Amino acid sequence: MFISHKPFLIIISSPSGAGKSTLCKMVVQNDPLTKLSVSATTRSQRPQEVDGQDYSFINEEKFVEMVDKSEFVEHAVVFGNHYGTPKKMVEDAQKNGTEVLFDIDWQGARQVKEKFDQDSVISIFILPPSLKELERRLKNRAQDPQDVVDQRMAKAKDEISHYHEYDYVVVNDDLNATYSKIRSIIESKRVSRLSKSQISDLVKEFN
């Protein structure tokens, strides 16, 4: 007997370089019940990125138009670029019984929590082992000059100051171990979302 739960939203945030995007992709690749939110952004597309898969790349005029029409669940400005989660994508996923995983910062997390009831959202903040390790990771990515790394480090300290706004905080000192912790959090939430009537029906099967 298969029992389905009510779908919910998953928020994962972290300072740049803490492993958030990699962890989000790991979750989605190994969990058919979870869909990664694809944000719209005015940021320039990077060589390895696929439009519509990593982000939906749009110009600022289109972004502002979507904001004016209330077409975003959340939106924010990060490093001078606009990012936002299209509302229709979230609604379609939930109708299909799928969890939506948000790879967003604390600004977006606040907006999502304001628009959905507390029980339908879980939020996880990923911390690096240390600021020194975070700086090392940013430098090793070799895609940003030093002044950008310095800017991201300053931003990281601000991001980290909001960790207390999240339901869970996980230190990413080992990628696979951190992934396992996130999966455990998600599975626990699924169990908690089973309705009393569903549990009652399951118990009857054993009587």
Side-chain angles (χ1 to χ4, degrees), residues 50-69:
V50 178
D51 186 21
Q53 180 177 311
D54 296 295
Y55 290 95
S56 291
F57 296 95
I58 61 177
N59 59 37
E60 188 167 344
E61 181 180 359
K62 175 63 176 177
F63 195 98
V64 171
E65 179 184 336
M66 291 178 72
V67 171
D68 291 341
K69 292 181 179 179

Side-chain angles (χ1 to χ4, degrees), residues 9-98:
L9 306 178
I10 306 162
I11 298 172
I12 297 183
S13 302
S14 79
S16 179
K20 168 171 56 75
S21 296
T22 299
L23 287 163
C24 286
K25 289 178 180 178
M26 290 173 71
V27 171
V28 172
Q29 287 171 356
N30 293 284
D31 187 349
L33 296 179
T34 303
K35 174 183 176 63
L36 184 63
S37 164
V38 178
S39 297
T41 182
T42 59
R43 174 174 67 71
S44 298
Q45 185 175 352
R46 292 171 180 163
Q48 75 276 19
E49 292 176 329
V50 178
D51 186 21
Q53 180 177 311
D54 296 295
Y55 290 95
S56 291
F57 296 95
I58 61 177
N59 59 37
E60 188 167 344
E61 181 180 359
K62 175 63 176 177
F63 195 98
V64 171
E65 179 184 336
M66 291 178 72
V67 171
D68 291 341
K69 292 181 179 179
S70 299
E71 294 181 4
F72 289 119
V73 171
E74 58 80 29
H75 61 91
V77 178
V78 181
F79 296 117
N81 297 303
H82 295 275
Y83 293 83
T85 304
K87 187 184 299 181
K88 187 177 186 304
M89 181 274 299
V90 176
E91 292 173 344
D92 289 346
Q94 290 196 307
K95 287 178 183 177
N96 292 327
T98 302

Side-chain angles (χ1 to χ4, degrees), residues 114-127:
E114 288 172 357
K115 293 176 181 176
F116 294 87
D117 66 88
Q118 184 177 355
D119 186 55
S120 64
V121 181
I122 59 168
S123 56
I124 305 168
F125 194 88
I126 307 298
L127 283 173

Side-chain angles (χ1 to χ4, degrees), residues 28 82 96 107 151 194 206:
V28 172
H82 295 275
N96 292 327
Q107 299 175 81
Q151 182 185 16
L194 292 174
F206 296 92

